């Protein structure tokens, strides 16, 4: 084995750049076999695989991305557009998507939708620097999204739904999840409830607010307008909205409040305690998303859990399929969510 190492090193020193052809020659196999080893195909024998891997390790071979892009018209690079990364939900979604992209041997370029991020992503599509786009933030009036679709770019919406938009979409049933929060409150005996809403431009906020209102009507809950205020999916927005509700209602405050995301629910909790009220003894609070912080002991927030890992897996699969088959039928995959009870609702389990 030592002599093999010496032979490889001696031959490699003659070349500044190692190619797949060099690896194949040194390993005594075809370039196709080297490719199969690099992509972990099962059709390669263990002896051959070991020999190729040895040469790869000794030569420090790196695939020529530019050459492969010219040959296949693919860069194996995906653009990911996110919203406010200070919201803990987005790092968790990015982590799930990154895991799936890594598994598919795809690279990622991340852009923030604030500022010039979306425009830079469109330029990358035009210059063929990326093969497709994952939008985690989009509205029906999103000009960059409309432009990407108009240009024929492979696009998948993740955690967003825009009815009638001609692209693949992966989201969860936000309306149903919010309606089940209303059912939960009703089953526990609450009657006067509140709502901390989100930005109307976001489909997630609109669907959750509509679903919760529908659930309140269906289960006989009183959702008076003085018990409703909109935030902006941030801690400060949730805190301000909850202050507004409590200042309007005084002693006739709602005994249970639904917040359209977890981050705003953390703000609502701070506002409730600032007003001298106890959670959950006097006010129940539920959020939405089940970000990691929701389970921390300081919050122990009841919330609706989104299946981020499953959403990411489907989104990456759909984008790869769209890149390979641009004319296939559109897909809208919607997941059902799970209501998780923690200390902000006294650990009372939701109805089955």
């Amino acid at each position: 084995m030592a002599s093999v190492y010496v032979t490889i090193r001696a031959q490699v020193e003659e070349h500044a750049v190692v190619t797949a052809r060099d690896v194949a020659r040194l390993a005594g196999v075809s370039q196709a076999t080297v490719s199969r080893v690099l992509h972990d195909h099962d059709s390669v024998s263990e002896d051959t695989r070991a020999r190729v891997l040895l040469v790869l390790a000794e030569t420090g071979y790196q695939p020529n991305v530019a050459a492969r892009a010219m040959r296949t018209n693919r860069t194996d690079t995906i653009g990911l557009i996110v919203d406010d990364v200070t919201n803990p939900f987005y790092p968790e979604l990015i982590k799930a998507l990154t895991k799936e992209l890594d598994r598919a041997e795809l690279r990622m370029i991340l852009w923030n939708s604030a500022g010039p991020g979306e425009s830079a992503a469109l330029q990358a599509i035009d210059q063929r620097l990326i093969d497709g786009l994952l939008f985690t933030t989009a509205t029906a009036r999103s000009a960059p999204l409309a432009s990407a679709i108009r240009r024929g770019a492979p696009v998948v919406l993740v955690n967003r739904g825009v009815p009638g938009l001609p692209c693949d979409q992966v989201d969860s049933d936000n309306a149903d999840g919010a309606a089940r929060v209303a059912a939960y409150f009703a089953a526990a005996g609450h009657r006067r409830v509140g709502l901390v809403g989100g930005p109307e431009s976001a489909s997630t906020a609109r669907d959750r607010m509509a679903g919760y209102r529908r659930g309140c009507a269906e289960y006989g809950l009183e959702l008076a307008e003085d018990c409703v205020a909109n935030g902006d999916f941030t801690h400060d927005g949730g805190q301000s909205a909850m202050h507004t509700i409590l200042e309007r209602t005084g002693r006739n405050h709602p005994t249970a409040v639904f917040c359209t995301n977890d981050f705003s629910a953390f703000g609502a909790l701070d506002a409730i305690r600032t007003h001298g009220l106890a959670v959950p003894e006097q006010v129940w609070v539920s959020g939405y998303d089940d970000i990691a912080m929701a389970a921390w002991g300081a919050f122990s927030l009841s919330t609706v859990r989104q299946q981020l890992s499953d959403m990411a897996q489907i989104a990456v699969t759909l984008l790869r399929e769209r890149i390979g088959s641009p004319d296939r039928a559109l897909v809208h995959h919607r997941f059902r969510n799970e209501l998780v009870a923690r200390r902000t609702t006294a650990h009372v389990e939701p109805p089955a």
Side-chain angles (χ1 to χ4, degrees):
M1 182 67 72
S3 63
V4 175
Y5 275 91
V6 172
T7 301
I8 293 173
R9 285 186 179 127
Q11 296 186 56
V12 168
E13 286 174 358
E14 299 175 3
H15 301 83
V17 178
V18 179
T19 67
R21 181 177 297 175
D22 294 326
V23 173
R25 177 174 54 82
L26 292 169
V29 299
S30 67
Q31 281 186 250
T33 298
V34 173
S35 178
R36 284 193 286 270
V37 172
L38 287 170
H39 291 88
D40 199 26
H41 286 186
D42 296 332
S43 58
V44 182
S45 72
E46 288 306 314
D47 287 345
T48 300
R49 187 185 304 276
R51 189 162 69 252
V52 173
L53 290 174
L54 171 63
V55 175
L56 289 169
E58 282 296 295
T59 59
Y61 169 78
Q62 294 293 326
N64 188 324
V65 176
R68 182 172 60 190
M70 290 179 65
R71 185 174 64 254
T72 64
N73 203 29
R74 303 270 179 85
T75 64
D76 289 341
T77 302
I78 300 302
L80 175 60
I81 299 176
V82 301
D83 202 351
D84 180 9
V85 292
T86 62
N87 181 337
F89 172 79
Y90 283 101
E92 293 186 21
L93 180 56
I94 292 168
K95 180 179 178 181
L97 288 166
T98 300
K99 180 179 178 181
E100 293 302 322
L101 290 169
D102 285 345
R103 184 177 297 170
E105 298 182 345
L106 297 171
R107 291 175 299 279
M108 179 185 73
I109 299 176
L110 179 67
W111 285 285
N112 193 320
S113 62
E118 290 180 328
S119 297
L122 293 180
Q123 290 176 8
I125 279 285
D126 287 343
Q127 296 168 13
R128 298 187 178 180
L129 300 177
I130 57 177
D131 296 329
L133 286 166
L134 294 167
F135 276 81
T136 68
T137 173
T139 71
R141 297 186 299 275
S142 174
L145 174 58
S147 180
I149 293 172
R150 189 167 57 250
R151 298 177 196 200
V155 168
V156 175
L157 301 190
V158 190
N159 190 49
R160 283 291 187 271
V162 180
L165 198 68
C167 68
D168 297 313
Q169 305 183 37
V170 181
D171 62 7
S172 62
D173 197 336
N174 290 288
D176 176 71
R180 283 188 287 120
V181 173
Y184 176 40
F185 288 166
H190 294 279
R191 287 295 171 263
R192 183 169 165 83
V193 298
L195 168 63
V196 172
E200 293 279 357
S201 60
S203 63
T204 47
R206 290 196 308 273
D207 291 348
R208 292 170 191 178
M209 290 188 287
Y212 182 67
R213 286 182 179 277
R214 187 186 71 228
C216 288
E218 181 177 351
Y219 297 106
L221 295 176
E222 178 192 351
L223 181 62
E225 286 309 308
D226 61 351
C227 293
V228 177
N230 276 8
D232 56 4
F233 276 173
T234 67
H235 174 280
D236 289 349
Q239 187 174 39
S240 176
M242 195 68 230
H243 274 309
T244 297
I245 291 171
L246 293 176
E247 287 166 0
R248 286 174 183 165
T249 57
R251 293 185 179 181
N252 194 29
H253 61 79
T255 61
V257 177
F258 170 58
C259 303
T260 47
N261 79 338
D262 290 343
F263 211 20
S264 60
F266 298 153
L269 288 171
D270 285 342
I272 290 167
R273 289 160 181 158
T274 298
H275 280 259
L277 298 171
V279 177
E281 291 82 2
Q282 292 172 283
V283 183
W284 278 23
V285 176
S286 172
Y288 206 112
D289 288 331
D290 196 30
I291 61 176
M293 292 171 63
W296 291 4
F299 300 112
S300 191
L301 177 69
S302 296
T303 184
V304 180
R305 176 179 295 158
Q306 294 210 77
Q307 310 300 325
L308 290 191
S309 294
D310 293 338
M311 289 171 65
Q313 190 270 323
I314 293 295
V316 171
T317 297
L318 289 178
L319 187 58
R320 292 178 68 195
E321 291 176 353
R322 178 63 59 194
I323 292 168
S325 303
D327 297 326
R328 73 154 170 75
L330 295 175
V331 175
H332 187 169
H333 194 106
R334 176 161 285 171
F335 287 90
R336 191 170 191 267
N337 297 326
E338 174 188 1
L339 183 56
V340 180
R342 296 194 180 101
R343 201 166 58 242
T344 58
T345 57
H347 283 298
V348 176
E349 288 300 317

